[in-house]
Amino acid sequence: MNLYDIPAHLPFLECLASGVFRQFRDQPPEALSRATILLPTRRSARGLRDAFLTAAEGRALLLPRMRALAGLSTEDADELALPTLLELPPAVPALTRQAVLTSLVLRLPPRHGGPANPEQAWGLAAELARIFDEIALEEPDTELLASGSPADFAETWLGRLETLVPESQAAHWQITTTFLRGVATAWAGWLEDQGMLDIGLRRVLALREQTKAWQDNPPEDPVVAAGIGVGGTIPAAVELLRVVARLPQGAVVLHGLDRAALAEIWAAVCDAPTHPFCSQGRLLHAMGAEFREVGRWPGCEHVPPGGVPKARPELLEMSLRPPEGMAPWTLPDAARWATGLEGLRLLAAPDAQTEAAAIALLLREALEQPGARAALVTPDRDLARRVSAELVRHGIRADDSAGQPLAQTPTGIFLRLLARCVAEDFAPVPLLALAKHPLAAAGMARPEFLAAVRLLERRVLRGPRPQGGLAGLAAAIAALPETEGKPVLLALHAALASALTGALGDFSTRHGAACPPADLLAAHLAAAEALATTADQPGGLRLYAADEGEVLASHMADLAPAMALMPPIDPASWPALFEASLDGVVTRQVRLHEAAHPRVEILGLLEARLLSFDRVVLGALDETVWPLATDPGPWMSRPMRAQFGLPEPEARIGRVCTDFFLFACAAPDAVFSRASRRGGAPTVPARWLTRLETFLNGQGLALPDSDAARMAAALDMPDRVTPVARPAPRPTRAQRPREISVTEVADLLADPYAFHARRILKLRRLDPLDADVGALDYGIIVHGALAGFIAELSAVPGGWPGEDAALEAWGRAAAEALAAQGPRPALAAFWRPRLARIGAFVVAQEGEMRATGQIAQSFTETDGRLDLVRPGGTVTLKARADRIDRLGDGTLAILDYKTGTLPRPDELGVGRAPQLPLEAAIAAAGAFAGVPPATVRALTYWKLSGGETAGEVRGMVSEPAEVSELASMALDRLGLLVDRFLLGDAAFTARPHPGRKTRGSDYDHLSRIAEWADAEEDEA
């Protein structure tokens, strides 16, 4: 056999090109073009093309046929383009297979481990498809594949399922095995009825066709299979490689075998599935070749070393040895192994984001060397996207070679948001996320639509959730007061209803009533096109015109007939099922104005094979990431896989260990990168790093640390942190208000900056979306109910209708107060029981006071204005008294309702709670509308919580003289305050008196209190 190897420390493609080029050096130019070179990926084929140009030293060449023979492993199988393939039945489309298997999986009841919803069924079907492909790809009986029909093959492996011993399995696996037999039988029957082949089987048959073609008619020109099967391969591919190795001008080139070091432990290596060379050892054994038959590729001696120390692969091989070869671990030889550490570094970051920033810095640093090429190699697509984003800050564009998931493209996000929005009855959060997406327009001009959506957010969607659906949205808009913005909102609702109602059909109304998924998909896409339509462009053109448009259109065209094969589902399950249908679909990112950097790449494990760089970063070297967890899957346990003849899950670790070994030798400068935490959870270093560090520790050595993480952190750390000073704005006198309400006086005393932000800057806090029912809403409702109740009592002759009539009056007043808040069912449901308890308390209090004639007349929600004439001008004091009672003796009692904490009596005297004393001053001056001037006898608070203790009466002052004194003191203090802040030029300093309480903290973030408060404490 013609078997060769290229050492790991040499650049593979350059050596390969050199050997092939020298073989044709003395032949006509067209001779090279007749050669065929099989490579694992298209990217490696492009790299080999560049290597040929380098070997030719710039001369023009007719290049050989370089065919990417991807997928000679279970995960990456692909098929060849051969004329004989036209005679094979077509492969079932992937989405069609997924849909049919999903419908079969849905038959398994949840109590026996079946799916709880269609989304889970879709995921289980994907695992089932993977098992079926693995069964076909790993089929060891090549004679069955060569001579038997697809029906014979299906019958054979269905028979193997029957031989799985149920008695040796747990009850769960017995049920699963029985169900798996049924699904497999039904699937094989469906394929036969449709005249199709399963995807994995057709790929295997394609390899068999290629093998047979070269067996029957050996090519007259050279055929080289380079780097194929390095990480493991399948039996059908072994047959192909055996044929290639036996061709007169054929050759199979392996990668990285150290024949001298592995000779003594070769048998142990072949028995260790997690060893990096186990896969190549098993490949040689399956081909019927001996280890000693592998020779050095003839082009290696003509390629200068790429700067990778020859001792590096020796060091890595020693650290990864199976137990039988670990005797040298006990023999310290630091001088020998230290040379292998040259160019190796370890990047240990605290978290994934810091790791990404540090890797971006390393890639940027590599570009300082003219002509240098750098790459990140990682199986973690999240890390790849993070690094791509971090590189932008350095002016570098480097897209992930794995592409962008279709679900995360702008159009994919738009479709997902639409499904979620409809399924959640147009709740505020998903509705705004959808409406603010750049594709949403609903037939309007996009700027006009976006302005209307922002108005809708402020006027309708912020605060408690309105009623569901477009009808609930219409009711919330109709309940708004007539303002200049209301017609805009009505027009927006009309546009949304016009775009969505007809297209959605049953999708938006029949929750719980099963619908065919194909109908839901059609309604979904129709609604998406209608919503994406603008005033001058149809929605379909906008939806499919983006970079991902072709991939999306193709996927949806395949998805529609596939969904027609599924049973009806609950429309509420559609969003999750639709998102699951997008999994695994990727689209290449197209940059129209700015190309990716030619010397920086972000690669997955498959894409990076055989490539060489000047600096390579191996990212996400953490257990369960690189390597992945060895999960046998949901359909077969480890014993079942072994009994069925499938390879052990640990073989996958061996394949990615091969990648780790070869990538670490792919550049003179190699960095091993990991993060201590990912997704908020601690991680464990990859086993290869642990073994390497353990071996080095025994030799008195250690991996050099990279300081990239420290430098990355320093990028965002200023040389000196200077906290902002406590804000103290000083507006002009013309900007200062000439009115102040009694409730604002305490705010001005406690936090002048908050008063400045609210009254002068006119800033108001936005209510959160989908807000919980808060204290402010509750206070408004309670005040409204009390005002209506007292007004009805005042109209009753004698002032008291009796307890039962009073309770009925309270119920009417409470209902009106709730209705005044608009159609918000969540708010009404939350507060109605509390209002009932408050009603019982209020009726009891009113009955006691009114039945004895203590109250002659009540005034509710009464406005008052009192002019304060000061040396610097006049300021108006405003108030709205919750309630003023004229008592039987002609004096007044002021009552304030509180739903929160009540002030203490001493706080009235020291001026921290001036509201009631100031209202007493206004009442004594006759400045409340409709309330004659009179002596104020009492100041009282009612606390109305509606909880276990529904209400509490707290009398603050009950003597006229004391009330008069408090009112006079409050006016004097207010005068001084007005002179300083409203008529003077005093600065509105943030929280000058830490001991004074404020009504809220809405403006604390604006004043940056956390920053300057800490700084002042440090100075103190």
Side-chain angles (χ1 to χ4, degrees), residues 355 378-383 605 619-629 656 673 675 678 683-684 686 688:
E355 181 187 18
T378 179
D380 186 358
R381 300 326 331 143
D382 176 69
L383 177 63
L605 303 188
L621 285 170
D622 295 305
E623 289 292 318
T624 72
V625 182
W626 189 3
L628 291 171
V656 295
S673 175
R678 293 187 187 278
T683 62
V684 176
W688 314 309

Side-chain angles (χ1 to χ4, degrees), residues 786-813:
L786 280 164
F789 176 64
I790 299 301
E792 188 166 343
L793 289 186
S794 300
V796 175
W800 183 243
E803 182 177 347
D804 293 340
L807 286 173
E808 293 178 3
W810 171 263
R812 290 189 294 271

Side-chain angles (χ1 to χ4, degrees), residues 3 7 16 23 145 163 258 274 302 316 330 425 427 493 496 533 610 673 749 782 803 833 838 878 886 899 1000 1002 1005:
L3 299 173
L16 179 64
Q23 182 179 350
L145 295 173
T163 63
D258 190 337
T274 60
H302 302 292
L316 295 174
T330 62
D425 269 346
H493 179 269
L496 288 173
T533 300
L610 309 185
S673 175
L749 277 167
V782 170
E803 182 177 347
I838 290 173
K878 302 188 303 179
R886 184 167 59 83
T899 56
D1002 292 347
H1005 68 290

Side-chain angles (χ1 to χ4, degrees), residues 51 146 214-215 257 431 477 495 624 666 674 726 773 924 940-941 945 984:
W214 280 345
Q215 281 178 329
L257 283 177
L431 175 59
I477 294 173
T624 72
R674 63 170 304 269
R726 185 193 297 256
V773 180
T940 305
Y941 282 110
S945 65

